[in-house]
Amino acid sequence: MVDLHADFDNLCERYLLGELTESECQEVEKTYFADDSLFERFQVVKEDLLDAYARGDLTSNKLKSFEQHYLKSKARRQRVEEAP
C-alpha cells in the first residue's frame, strides 16, 4: 500500500530543495493550492526542513541543495536567520 502522505512529503521536500523540473514544480503547486490539507502538509514539510537545517541535521547533499536553492531568496535567508 502506498503512503500518500509520505510520497507527498518526499515530493514537497524535493520541490523545496530544487530537485524537480519546472513542470513538476507547477504540478506540486497546483496540487497543494487545490487542497487545504495538502497545503498544510506542505507547510509541515517546509518547517521540518528548516528545523533540520537549523539543527545541522541535513545530509551533505540536502544541505548543498538547501543552501543553493532554498536560500537563494533574500526573504528566505532572512526567515532562516530570524528563526529561534
Side-chain angles (χ1 to χ4, degrees):
M1 182 173 178
V2 175
D3 182 348
L4 295 177
H5 277 296
D7 290 344
F8 186 72
D9 288 2
N10 182 286
L11 192 60
C12 289
E13 184 174 282
R14 291 181 56 224
Y15 169 87
L16 292 164
L17 294 175
E19 298 173 354
L20 301 179
T21 66
E22 183 64 32
S23 63
E24 290 171 324
C25 287
Q26 291 173 353
E27 195 61 35
V28 168
E29 292 165 358
K30 185 172 121 179
T31 301
Y32 72 66
F33 280 127
D35 184 322
D36 288 343
S37 67
L38 291 179
F39 184 77
E40 289 174 19
R41 194 72 216 139
F42 174 80
Q43 295 298 325
V44 168
V45 171
K46 182 169 66 171
E47 290 302 319
D48 288 349
L49 188 61
L50 292 170
D51 289 346
Y53 175 76
R55 289 189 313 268
D57 288 344
L58 295 178
T59 65
S60 61
N61 288 340
K62 285 185 182 181
L63 177 62
K64 182 178 178 183
S65 293
F66 184 86
E67 290 176 338
Q68 288 179 341
H69 179 74
Y70 190 84
L71 295 180
K72 187 167 47 173
S73 156
K74 182 179 179 180
R76 287 178 174 173
R77 284 192 307 274
Q78 283 181 310
R79 183 167 183 245
V80 169
E81 290 169 4
E82 293 169 358

